[in-house]
Amino acid sequence: MTHTAFITGATSGFGLAAARRFVAAGWKVVATGRRAERLQALVEELGAANVHPAAFDVRDTAAMEAALAALPEGFAGIDVLVNNAGLALGTAPAQQASLDDWRTMIDTNITALVTLTHRLLPALVARKGAIVNVSSVAGVYPYPGGNVYGGTKAFVSQFSLNLRTDLHGTGVRVTTIEPGMAETEFTVVRTHGNQAASDALYRDASPMTAEDIAEQIHYVATLPPHLNINRLEIMPVSQSFAGFQVHRG
Ligand code: NDP
Ligand code: 8X3
């Protein structure tokens, strides 16, 4: 029987690589994101029988509802929800950060994620499906400039654990993936379009790739049904932890 994954943020980075990974394994994928032309390119690459493009802004609940209502027959039964769409905006300390950026991160990384999850939960329970939520090491470890981004990802990780509790006995699996540094469009977005800053961050650092994370997303979602990985934290070898800081004087 063919299974279907609903992957948010499939126009780039982890979501795009995950769409390719699931289709390579014989799944159908509902691929979402705002950039419709990229979704169309994915359909052309992987085939209309395998990919259904759903272009909408995850913060727009009416558009989300319309996209769900328009799912064609072969894509309507969702087995795996991959809540991946998200972003960081800015690296300034909290006292200098943009409130608009903070609200955009909360609206996208938290509000949209819980809205979609709430909407799909009854269907996922009916199918004994799985939810894979993309959090971040930024939600586990604080770092300068992580402020609200890290806060949104801490929410995602804790929400996932709480979902596990509520879904006890339903057979639905919930996993949080907590990646460290991976080279995608993430830093271009975070810096409001500064490709040079993004290149500088990843240069000579051997960051993870989108495919590395897609492999983990596919892995946790396709384990034997009696297994649940609660959280999977993964970093490049080149990235580790810094110590506490002490201000004197
Ligand atoms: P990318 O910027 O490459 O991809 C982000 C995806 O999210 C895009 O497909 C984008 O689609 C989608 N997206 C963002 N905002 C919206 C929105 N309002 N509506 C619909 N879709 C949206 O970054 P990554 O692949 O790296 O990021 C994926 C997830 O992984 C994010 O949640 C990020 O926080 C997390 N993460 C990333 C890490 C990294 O180092 N790269 C590390 C840890 C976690 P579009 O713009 O077309 O709408
Ligand atoms: C982002 C991870 O390590 O770039 O979610 O802060 S990191």
Side-chain angles (χ1 to χ4, degrees), residues 13-26:
F14 302 165
L16 173 59
R20 290 177 172 141
R21 182 67 185 84
F22 276 91
V23 169

Side-chain angles (χ1 to χ4, degrees), residues 92-175:
Q95 61 275 27
Q96 292 160 18
S98 153
L99 182 57
D100 281 348
D101 283 354
W102 281 8
R103 287 184 167 152
T104 300
M105 289 187 279
I106 292 166
D107 291 347
T108 309
N109 301 355
I110 298 179
T111 308
L113 182 146
V114 301
T115 302
L116 182 61
T117 303
H118 186 268
R119 176 61 174 71
L120 289 180
L121 265 175
L124 288 164
V125 169
R127 292 174 82 90
K128 297 189 192 307
I131 301 170
V132 182
N133 288 331
V134 179
S135 176
S136 168
V137 293
V140 181
Y141 310 100
Y143 63 80
N147 46 68
V148 165
Y149 176 65
T152 65
K153 293 304 189 178
F155 174 91
V156 172
S157 292
Q158 191 63 21
F159 177 57
S160 303
L161 291 174
N162 285 339
L163 274 176
R164 278 276 286 138
T165 307
D166 288 354
L167 290 165
H168 182 77
T170 64
V172 176
R173 299 190 283 183
V174 186
T175 299

Side-chain angles (χ1 to χ4, degrees), residues 48-79:
N50 301 318
V51 177
H52 171 72
F56 63 94
D57 187 323
V58 285
R59 296 167 297 174
D60 181 342
T61 305
M64 181 190 289
E65 279 298 339
L68 290 169
L71 287 179
E73 170 100 20
F75 293 87
I78 308 298
D79 300 287

Side-chain angles (χ1 to χ4, degrees), residues 8 22 27 61 80 95 102 123 134-135 138-140 161 165 167-168 171 176 185 187 198 208 222 235 237 247 249:
T8 66
F22 276 91
W27 287 55
T61 305
V80 171
Q95 61 275 27
W102 281 8
V134 179
S135 176
V140 181
L161 291 174
T165 307
L167 290 165
H168 182 77
T176 314
E185 294 179 9
T187 300
S198 176
M208 294 187 293
T222 56
M235 281 177 155
V237 174
H247 174 72

Side-chain angles (χ1 to χ4, degrees), residues 88 184-199 202:
T184 61
E185 294 179 9
F186 177 83
T187 300
V188 175
V189 171
R190 186 171 204 168
T191 58
H192 295 280
N194 190 337
Q195 183 67 52
S198 176
D199 293 344
Y202 301 123

